[in-house]
């Protein structure tokens, strides 16, 4: 396989290469891969562990079934996932190596995240210690800061969409709801209810990339307590609860610095939410996840 990390002109199969320097890539198709086992399934298909036969390169193949995409009228959604994800390159973001399609399938060639979903680790651990949660949140904050710099809003930050790499590092994944928005003002409601920012739950929503900062606050709460603030077992999640900031108080075992971090992100006014660059130097993050640690 040609070096998928290079960028340059796009071929019709979506693989990028540097013309005149690297040989033109071979047309990609399923026959080039040995498909090993299923890693998981999503809305329109399944993800498989695979090996590129010629190079031995191990990757994940996300195989979407065209009839299922069409049945849900989600062509735009898939096109957007490919467009956004293929333009991102960051250690905290799941690698996107290329894509192709045949008569029945659309296939994305992705970095294999050997540790699986953060969600499964959280369920197994019940909740994370403060140092562990702070290190995870620092990594996700850096990935989100990169997205904001590229004018991308993820819109579906949650533990199910965060994968774990070979060294235990986090990889932000699933760009199905993401949008490249240089104007930074959107109106479409999407994502997962208990992570939705209050401004997204209004009758006529208008929102910016600050919705990802809200979701970061929800994620921090969840990593420290094991449950989302707006999805506790006691009551239903309603947009009104989100808009009223009606969430169970954080347990006394959570430090004042962590509480301050969460309450600086779960702010109703999007303009007043802690900016990501400030989140990275927040005392809670610095205490547990300073670069020297
Ligand atoms: P998705 O369709 O992207 O939501 O993926 C469905 C599930 O497959 C995920 O929730 C993960 O459990 C698994 N999965 C997806 N991509 C990968 C990957 N690159 N490496 C390992 N597991 C993955």
């Amino acid at each position: 396989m040609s070096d998928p990390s290079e960028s340059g002109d796009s071929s019709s199969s979506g693989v990028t290469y540097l013309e005149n320097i690297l040989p033109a890539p071979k047309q990609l198709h399923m026959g080039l891969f040995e498909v090993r086992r299923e890693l998981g399934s999503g809305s329109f298909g399944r993800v498989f562990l695979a090996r590129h036969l010629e190079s031995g390169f191990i990757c994940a193949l996300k195989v979407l079934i065209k009839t299922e995409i069409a049945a849900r009228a989600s062509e735009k959604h898939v096109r957007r996932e490919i467009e956004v994800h293929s333009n991102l390159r960051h250690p905290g973001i799941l690698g996107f190596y290329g894509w192709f399609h045949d008569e029945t399938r659309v296939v994305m060639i992705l970095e294999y995240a050997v540790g699986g979903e953060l969600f499964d680790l959280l369920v197994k651990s019940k909740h994370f210690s403060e140092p562990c949660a702070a290190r995870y949140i620092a990594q996700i904050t850096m990935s989100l800061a990169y997205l904001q710099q590229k004018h991308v809003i993820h819109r579906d930050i949650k533990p199910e969409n965060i994968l774990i790499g070979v060294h235990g590092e986090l990889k932000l994944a699933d760009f199905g709801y993401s949008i490249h928005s240089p104007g930074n003002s959107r109106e479409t409601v999407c994502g997962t209810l208990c992570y939705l920012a209050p401004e997204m739950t209004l009758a006529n929503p208008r929102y910016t990339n600050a919705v990802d900062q809200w979701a970061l606050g929800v994620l921090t709460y969840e990593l420290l307590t094991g449950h989302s603030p707006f999805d506790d077992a006691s009551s239903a999640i309603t947009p009104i609860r989100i808009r009223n900031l009606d969430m169970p108080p954080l347990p006394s075992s959570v430090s004042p610095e962590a509480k301050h971090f969460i309450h600086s992100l779960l702010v109703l006014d999007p303009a007043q939410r802690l900016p990501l660059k400030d989140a990275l130097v927040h005392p809670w993050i610095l205490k547990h996840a300073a670069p020297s640690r």
Side-chain angles (χ1 to χ4, degrees):
M1 185 156 67
S2 62
D3 184 351
S5 65
E6 296 290 356
S7 61
D9 297 332
S10 295
S11 76
S12 59
S13 69
V15 177
T16 55
Y17 63 96
L18 290 171
E19 238 179 331
N20 304 328
I21 298 175
L22 295 170
K26 288 184 192 142
Q27 198 66 268
L28 290 168
H29 57 87
M30 278 309 259
L32 296 175
F33 298 89
E34 174 202 347
V35 175
R36 294 189 167 175
R37 62 184 170 86
E38 185 173 325
L39 295 169
S41 56
S43 321
F44 314 112
R46 295 184 287 171
V47 181
F48 298 93
L49 176 64
R51 188 175 74 93
H52 182 250
L53 288 168
E54 197 181 307
S55 63
F57 187 80
I58 295 289
C59 58
L61 295 181
K62 181 165 174 172
V63 181
L64 310 181
I65 307 300
K66 283 185 175 176
T67 49
E68 288 173 24
I69 299 169
R72 293 168 187 231
S74 293
E75 291 88 345
K76 201 169 112 188
H77 182 97
V78 173
R79 194 171 307 126
R80 200 177 268 166
E81 174 168 0
I82 293 172
E83 266 167 24
V84 171
H85 199 172
S86 63
N87 279 296
L88 302 173
R89 236 161 238 98
H90 185 274
I93 289 179
L94 191 74
F96 184 104
Y97 301 136
W99 71 282
F100 58 92
H101 66 105
D102 57 25
E103 238 168 74
T104 56
R105 303 167 287 203
V106 176
V107 181
M108 297 178 215
I109 310 168
L110 303 173
E111 176 181 7
Y112 169 46
V114 68
E117 286 180 22
L118 182 65
F119 177 80
D120 293 327
L121 184 63
L122 179 60
V123 169
K124 210 165 83 188
S125 316
K126 295 198 167 55
H127 62 87
F128 298 129
S129 67
E130 292 216 10
C132 176
R135 284 196 291 269
Y136 281 156
I137 290 299
Q139 290 176 51
I140 296 300
T141 306
M142 283 191 269
S143 303
L144 287 178
Y146 169 76
L147 291 188
Q148 289 195 352
Q149 181 201 322
K150 302 270 288 181
H151 305 291
V152 169
I153 315 178
H154 187 282
R155 301 197 292 194
D156 202 17
I157 300 296
K158 56 181 179 179
E160 292 89 329
N161 289 340
I162 298 168
L163 300 177
I164 304 175
V166 67
H167 304 295
E169 76 282 18
L170 299 188
K171 305 270 177 182
L172 193 52
D174 209 333
F175 290 81
Y177 283 130
S178 299
I179 181 82
H180 180 240
S181 180
N184 196 24
S185 174
R186 310 299 307 181
E187 293 166 13
T188 314
V189 177
C190 60
T192 306
L193 182 55
C194 59
Y195 298 87
L196 284 194
E199 62 272 24
M200 257 186 157
T201 70
L202 298 170
N204 295 307
R206 206 168 178 82
Y207 60 88
T208 67
N209 57 14
V211 295
D212 283 344
Q213 284 148 252
W214 174 275
L216 183 68
V218 175
L219 181 72
T220 310
Y221 186 115
E222 188 171 359
L223 297 194
L224 287 171
T225 64
H227 58 86
S228 153
F230 303 106
D231 190 18
D232 58 303
S234 59
S235 51
I237 323 155
T238 63
I240 306 228
R241 275 191 65 201
I242 295 173
R243 291 201 294 272
N244 287 344
L245 259 179
D246 171 13
M247 55 183 182
L250 282 151
S252 55
S253 54
V254 173
S255 70
E257 294 100 324
K259 284 180 181 155
H260 183 269
F261 184 83
I262 292 168
H263 291 304
S264 307
L265 290 163
L266 296 182
V267 173
L268 293 177
D269 179 357
Q272 299 306 317
R273 270 171 221 152
L274 186 68
L276 295 175
K277 65 172 177 26
D278 297 341
L280 283 170
V281 294
H282 185 278
W284 183 60
I285 295 291
L286 290 182
K287 181 172 170 188
H288 300 294
S292 60
R293 282 168 194 274

